[in-house]
Amino acid sequence: MLSVPPLLVSTFLRRALAAALLAHAAAGAFALERFDEVRSAWRPSDIRVLDRAGEPLQRLRTDATVRRGRWVPLAEVSPALRTALVMSEDKRFWEHSGVDWRAVSAAAWANLWHTRTRGASTITMQLAGLLDEDLRRAGGGRSLGQKIDQAYTATQLERGWRKDQILEAYLNLVPFRGELVGIDALSRTLFGKAPHGLQAREAAVAAALVRAPNASPARVAQRACEVLRAMQPAGRSAGPPQASPRPLGGQRGHEVPSVGATFSDCAAVDMFTAAALQRRAFEASEGIAPHLARQALRAARETNAGGAPVPTELHTTLRAPLQRFALATLQRHLRELRDRNVEDGALVVLDNASGEVLAWVGSSGELSAAREVDAVLAPRQPGSTLKPLLYAQAIAERRLTAASLLEDSSAQIATPGGLYIPQNYDRRFKGPVSVRTALAASLNVPAVRTLVMVSPEGFARQLRAAGIALAQSGDYYGYSLALGSAEVTLLQLANAFRTLANGGRFSPTRVLPPAAGEAPAFAAALDPRAAFIVGDILSDANARVRTFGPDSVLGTRFWSAVKTGTSKDMRDNWAVGWSQRYTVGVWVGNAGGAPMWDVSGTSGAAPVWAELMRFLHAREPSRAPAPPPGLRQAAVRFGDWSGQPIEAARGEWFIAGTEQPLFALEGIAAGAGPAGEPPPARITAPADGTLLALDPDIPPRHQRVRFEADAAGAGAQWRIGGRTVARGPRAQWLPWPGRHVVELADAQGRVLDSVRVEVRGAGVAPGRGGPPPAAR
């Protein structure tokens, strides 16, 4: 057999490959990327969501195809791992200039005699394949042309990059097991630690995975043992040849540290490797604000639509200490309510001036079976928490004052679907009460009577102006809208209360910091005088005594205004309120809609609201707002039919021109405005959209429809089809088939209100009270 000296093979291959490289260089090659460009282009598979001060809140995965951690500088990689990788992949890394000619000749000699050996690809050559898709290894291996291109690129990298930069880029770009790319993702997933903390055995496993990423645990363990043996002081040759070590950033020199590996490490490496390959310590998303992180990412993508990519670190408006306290408080309180069938909760804290979200807890986390559901954005029935906006509208329209009397008694209100009979929370009626008492004590029947004055559609327009987007029209919900039959989100509701806190001015909320010089865009949504009066009522502890008692959890040592609410069948419980600077909204219930057991307004969400408010104002005062222009404070008295007081005399706030000294039932309609300036009249019956069916077997005189107005006065007139059919605040109308518009007009003929009515069935014969021929 012919024997060819390996040295002759090495010399021949070196010259042949050098000639090929020169020819390749003459033909031209791709422009080499700089190290800084590669590092800048690196994108982890998740982003770090930070609070307003830069403190981490959440890590959120954004790329589902791979797992990449952050870019790790070489100085933050453990010495054991650097040594293990060089010993495993490229022993002469610190000596060659991109191509290891000794390894090339050894590989060629082995191939000549069909002997299996490791490849001659250096770390630099492998990095070239990671940087250029055309040089990556295919299923059948690289072609000769690819190998030449790879070797040429490696020599170019060695000329343009330092050795430490090559090793750093390789560690961050090399794929490991499965979806893991880069040393940061590998270290945190398999070993649960940062790369700087890897010990010799962990480093050996990591180096073994580079060679065979998807090998069996036994094969990986065997390779790791080989790496451990190679790392022993006697067999180590990965360091530079100089006598004294150079700093880590040196061009050629690199100190090889003592890793302390011994042969005894291999004894348990099989079990250690099997356990490590099954571990998934690096969660896809972890932190204290998962729902806010997704919302912030969505907002960032909308802001950067068509522009720059979302940064790897995303700053938000949250306060990390407040977020941690809010999450802990909500979870602790929900644990106390577990025996009452309460599992979920959510809260949000807003800055009144800017609309910035300071805390966002979307679920109870581990306590919830639906922890991924963001209850801050989930639509729910708000119960009585819509009442402040309803009364504010009625006061702004001068239909009511804070001292106006409303009847809290059994009511049967006609609707297109039948009679609506509202009930109070305690199933008891209080008789005549002032608006202040009705709102603060959260009485239902007075609220429904107020909505009759305002009209459901009018109230729906008011809610939309305050940022609450209803899914249907006001007439769809009817008078139950006063008690929260529509679905709203916690964020919308809290921001609507923030509108009250800002004197009736609305602006959107935000989770990303504003640009330099950017200010909130406010829009007038409500009369500032009405907003002030409602805030004064909701801060009045004495006014809420009838329902909440004298020592309620809603009371604070500083100024605050708050309203609770409970939806039908105790499915949702709310507490929303504001102080001078903050608005806090809390919801508790069950994500699946199951009713709670015996949870009231003060035992459900209110305790969490109170704790948050105390935390926010532990070192920060909250003072009552100054009254806006156009308000007057006057002394008022209350009386009933016999002159007995209904409520104690007090000072009350009024919109200028609506004040009066006495509020009594006699001579004053419940809810009527002050003498001299009555509110515009409204039709209270029939309801808008009423459908009537005439029965031919019942005499027409017994099928008359009753018209009623709330404060029409003697000069009111009722018109149908432009023809006056009756006069006065109450009237009887003999219907005829068709669709009609019933109008209420004043003495001068100006239309004050209108409703639509449809009559079906047999008509009335002429001469028996039916319409004239022109009207038929």
Side-chain angles (χ1 to χ4, degrees), residues 13-340:
L13 288 174
R14 184 194 297 263
R15 292 175 179 175
L17 187 55
L21 293 178
L22 289 174
H24 180 84
F30 76 100
L32 183 67
E33 291 182 278
R34 298 194 306 271
F35 172 76
D36 292 340
E37 294 174 337
V38 173
R39 183 174 56 184
S40 299
W42 174 260
R43 286 291 180 270
S45 61
D46 50 39
I47 64 170
R48 296 176 69 215
V49 180
L50 312 176
D51 82 337
R52 63 198 307 119
E55 184 174 343
L57 289 170
Q58 189 77 26
R59 184 172 49 78
L60 183 65
R61 185 169 182 177
T62 57
D63 189 341
T65 60
V66 295
R67 290 300 307 276
R68 293 186 298 264
R70 68 183 186 91
W71 184 278
V72 182
L74 191 60
E76 297 181 16
V77 177
S78 90
L81 178 59
R82 299 198 299 263
T83 299
L85 188 66
V86 171
M87 295 300 298
S88 173
E89 293 299 307
D90 191 357
K91 293 181 180 180
R92 285 173 288 277
F93 171 73
W94 301 102
E95 303 170 12
H96 61 67
S97 298
V99 180
D100 187 350
W101 296 107
R102 291 170 58 183
V104 169
S105 61
W109 181 259
N111 290 335
L112 182 63
W113 300 106
H114 305 287
T115 302
R116 182 178 179 85
T117 184
R118 73 176 296 274
S121 181
T122 64
I123 287 178
T124 312
M125 293 172 67
Q126 293 180 50
L127 177 61
L130 296 173
L131 294 176
D132 186 358
E133 293 184 0
D134 294 336
L135 301 180
R136 292 179 186 173
R137 186 183 185 94
R142 292 186 180 91
S143 64
L144 178 61
Q146 282 181 312
K147 292 179 180 180
I148 294 176
D149 288 345
Q150 186 185 31
Y152 173 78
T153 305
T155 59
Q156 294 296 102
L157 280 172
E158 291 277 351
R159 291 176 182 176
W161 291 25
R162 300 193 311 267
K163 281 285 189 179
D164 62 303
Q165 292 176 335
I166 293 173
L167 185 57
E168 178 179 320
Y170 180 78
L171 282 166
N172 283 282
L173 296 175
V174 65
F176 287 96
R177 194 172 186 86
E179 64 178 0
L180 302 178
V181 173
I183 191 58
D184 190 55
L186 176 80
S187 300
R188 297 182 184 277
T189 300
L190 301 190
F191 308 119
K193 59 176 67 174
H196 66 78
L198 296 183
Q199 303 299 322
R201 186 168 56 178
E202 297 163 334
V205 173
L209 288 172
V210 173
R211 182 72 58 84
N214 298 313
S216 65
R219 182 69 185 93
V220 175
Q222 179 183 358
R223 176 60 185 161
C225 284
E226 296 173 0
V227 175
L228 278 173
R229 291 189 180 95
M231 292 169 64
Q232 302 309 307
R236 189 172 62 246
S237 60
Q242 70 270 17
S244 59
R246 294 183 182 180
L248 183 62
Q251 172 68 21
R252 295 297 178 197
H254 181 75
E255 179 185 3
V256 179
S258 174
V259 299
T262 64
F263 286 109
S264 62
D265 290 325
C266 287
V269 74
D270 285 331
M271 291 187 296
F272 174 79
T273 302
L277 295 182
Q278 293 178 358
R279 188 180 297 119
R280 291 292 182 271
F282 193 38
E283 297 291 339
S285 179
E286 59 183 357
I288 59 174
H291 303 92
L292 177 278
R294 290 196 288 267
Q295 186 67 14
L297 178 61
R298 189 179 302 112
R301 285 172 172 168
E302 293 174 354
T303 301
N304 297 341
V310 176
T312 58
E313 291 189 340
L314 187 60
H315 286 262
T316 67
T317 59
L318 263 67
R319 296 180 184 174
L322 175 61
Q323 179 74 10
R324 281 192 293 269
F325 178 83
L327 178 60
T329 301
L330 180 65
Q331 289 180 335
R332 173 171 47 79
H333 184 64
L334 289 176
R335 287 189 180 96
E336 297 172 357
L337 294 176
R338 290 302 291 266
D339 60 345
R340 301 190 188 183

Side-chain angles (χ1 to χ4, degrees), residues 342 475 513 518:
V342 183
D475 291 335
E518 183 181 1

